[in-house]
Amino acid sequence: MKRFSAIAALTLLWATGDPAQAMAFQPSPRTSDQSANVVGVAEKVAVDHILDEKLDGLEALYRDLHQHPELGFQEHRTAMLLARRMRTLGFEVTENVGKTGVVAIYRNGPGPVTLVRTEMDALPMEEKTSLSFASRAHALLDGKRTFVAHSCGHDVHMAWWVGAAEALVALKQQWRGTLLFIAQPAEESLGGARAMLNDGLLTRFPKPDFALAAHVGGGMPLGSVVMKEGVILSASDALEIIFNGRGAHGSAPSSAIDPIVMGAHFVSDVQTVISRQKDAATFGVITVGAFQAGSVANIIPDTATLRLSLRSFTPEVRSLLLNGVEKTAYGVSMMAGAPAPTITRLNGSAATQNDSELMARIAPALKSAFGKGVISIPASVPGFSGSEDFSEFAAKGIPSAYLMIGSDQPEALAAYKAKGIAPPTNHSPLYAPAARPAIRNGAAALVWSVLSLNGASPR
């Protein structure tokens, strides 16, 4: 039987630009037992009024951040701007947590501690949109100059993070407890969350009872909010493998142990870990994204460097992929009569999982606020293949919820469909979300989630 997951179907609907079908697509027949806990008209009007009032300033912040992107652990200007905004709102702010991270605390009496996270880092790539405020920024990465762009949408996230904070402060009579708003560095390299945790996030500051985050989704229509139970994003592991050979003249390959040949064998052989060792019904990806060796045609180099990205949903498959990659690299080197390869695990993060009980608590308010835009997907459906280090908080025992927020105008999606091409999505140099409405929707989703957890009774 052909396996066609609900997420794959939903993604196809977004990509083909049929927002009406995508918004109506509900893979889970289950309805919430808390359906009576809905957003009242007066409460919705109050939240909408606050966000509408703040939206011009949030869009201006977004454009500023978009024009001045910074790479992971280099987010000095970004962190300064966010810290300043939070201090103005009355938050207690600590900077330089986990190198460049920001922790902002707002205490509003006894009650739960709710963490709300945004990411700050941009990508080492050139933006190719036609936006009037497109980034032309540069930075140094590994000693090399590179373009920098917010092509993943973290600038949108930071704006709705500030917007949610502004609204919650204005609504402080409607909730109780402590807000722990964190601006995290280096999400793209999967190191920022761990850096903040290692710098005492859970010991120096109030320990969270809940953790919330949201991500803008390219190719998803505005107004859509994906609530995926269980695994929503895959585990990710990055490795570097150096094959150590013996250099020689290009005319005398028998005098060499050619690391390029070893690397070429590895690229092919390692895929048998997927096709012959992994259960065909489980998700797993091994990608060799970089292969660097040699300088000119007539010199056989003495090393070849490969960099890999591994993705999986379960700890068992994650372990299988890591062990399979390492065994294959050692086997290739042994067959070539070469020294053992040098294998470095650069970074990694477990799969991002949504806590079912937490999702059930925030679902009624979100469904009431966004209507048919909320797309509920059960845990039995596989997650997305992208990855996040938000999983680090769940790994510390904090119930977590990670939402996905639509970012494209339905008309734009329809236009792409008419042309027969897929719309630009996150990490594309052409990705240009409809930022203003996406910021408003993301802020609203976070506000209603916090109100659901911190004592509001929307009815």
Side-chain angles (χ1 to χ4, degrees), residues 82-151:
L82 297 184
R84 182 184 300 162
R85 294 292 288 261
M86 301 305 272
R87 284 195 180 96
T88 300
L89 290 173
F91 281 73
E92 307 165 22
V93 177
T94 304
E95 298 178 70
N96 303 313
V97 180
K99 297 184 178 178
T100 49
V102 176
V103 175
I105 301 170
Y106 195 93
R107 305 177 195 272
N108 191 29
V113 178
T114 299
L115 180 152
V116 181
R117 187 214 69 166
T118 186
E119 323 93 302
M120 298 189 292
D121 57 326
L123 290 160
M125 61 186 291
E126 182 179 3
E127 179 176 351
K128 297 182 180 179
T129 69
S130 58
L131 296 173
S132 61
F133 53 93
S135 169
R136 303 310 299 166
H138 290 77
L140 290 178
L141 179 64
D142 298 329
K144 298 179 181 178
R145 189 169 172 81
T146 179
F147 280 102
V148 186
H150 267 302
S151 299

Side-chain angles (χ1 to χ4, degrees), residues 66-418:
H66 188 92
Q67 285 188 300
H68 301 93
E70 296 173 302
L71 296 177
F73 295 127
Q74 300 179 29
E75 309 99 333
H76 302 290
R77 179 183 185 274
T78 303
M80 178 192 69
L81 288 178
L82 297 184
R84 182 184 300 162
R85 294 292 288 261
M86 301 305 272
R87 284 195 180 96
T88 300
L89 290 173
F91 281 73
E92 307 165 22
V93 177
T94 304
E95 298 178 70
N96 303 313
V97 180
K99 297 184 178 178
T100 49
V102 176
V103 175
I105 301 170
Y106 195 93
R107 305 177 195 272
N108 191 29
V113 178
T114 299
L115 180 152
V116 181
R117 187 214 69 166
T118 186
E119 323 93 302
M120 298 189 292
D121 57 326
L123 290 160
M125 61 186 291
E126 182 179 3
E127 179 176 351
K128 297 182 180 179
T129 69
S130 58
L131 296 173
S132 61
F133 53 93
S135 169
R136 303 310 299 166
H138 290 77
L140 290 178
L141 179 64
D142 298 329
K144 298 179 181 178
R145 189 169 172 81
T146 179
F147 280 102
V148 186
H150 267 302
S151 299
C152 193
H154 294 181
D155 45 358
V156 176
H157 302 177
M158 287 183 277
W160 72 35
W161 181 83
V162 170
E166 291 177 338
L168 287 166
V169 169
L171 294 164
K172 63 184 179 180
Q173 298 302 318
Q174 305 300 317
W175 60 272
R176 291 293 180 267
T178 299
L179 303 180
L180 186 70
F181 271 55
I182 67 169
Q184 177 203 307
E187 181 277 325
E188 295 293 350
S189 60
L190 301 180
R194 189 170 301 169
M196 294 190 78
L197 289 167
N198 290 342
D199 199 14
L201 179 64
L202 302 185
T203 55
R204 296 167 55 191
F205 309 99
K207 186 173 181 179
D209 296 294
F210 312 106
L212 302 171
H215 203 294
V216 68
M220 291 171 51
L222 286 166
S224 56
V225 179
V226 170
M227 299 189 70
K228 168 71 174 72
E229 293 186 3
V231 174
I232 183 169
L233 298 172
S234 73
S236 177
D237 292 283
L239 289 82
E240 179 184 80
I241 299 176
I242 300 175
F243 287 102
N244 301 302
R246 183 170 64 233
H249 196 286
S251 66
S254 60
S255 300
I257 300 177
D258 194 335
I260 295 178
V261 173
M262 286 193 285
H265 277 301
F266 172 83
V267 170
S268 177
D269 292 349
V270 77
Q271 292 304 324
T272 63
V273 176
I274 298 295
S275 64
R276 292 297 180 269
Q277 297 182 39
K278 181 188 67 64
D279 187 321
T282 60
F283 170 77
V285 171
I286 297 175
T287 296
V288 180
F291 189 141
Q292 299 163 345
S295 56
V296 294
N298 64 345
I299 300 175
I300 296 174
D302 56 4
T303 63
T305 300
L306 283 69
R307 293 184 178 86
L308 289 77
S309 176
L310 282 55
R311 308 289 171 136
S312 56
F313 285 151
T314 68
E316 294 77 17
V317 173
R318 187 183 186 192
S319 178
L320 172 72
L321 300 188
L322 287 166
N323 291 336
V325 164
E326 294 189 356
K327 288 179 181 178
T328 303
Y330 279 107
V332 164
S333 296
M334 182 179 66
M335 287 189 294
T342 304
I343 302 175
T344 305
R345 297 190 180 186
L346 301 174
N347 57 56
S349 187
T352 300
Q353 299 213 30
N354 282 332
D355 182 84
S356 294
E357 291 185 9
L358 176 54
M359 296 289 278
R361 288 188 62 176
I362 66 176
L366 290 175
K367 290 179 179 178
S368 184
F370 288 92
K372 291 183 178 180
V374 174
I375 300 162
S376 300
I377 303 177
S380 58
V381 175
F384 294 97
S385 57
S387 303
E388 255 272 11
D389 65 353
F390 184 64
S391 59
E392 296 287 340
F393 303 109
K396 295 296 184 182
I398 304 169
S400 302
Y402 186 93
L403 307 174
M404 298 196 72
I405 310 294
S407 70
D408 284 336
Q409 295 283 1
E411 298 81 5
L413 293 177
Y416 280 110
K417 179 186 177 182

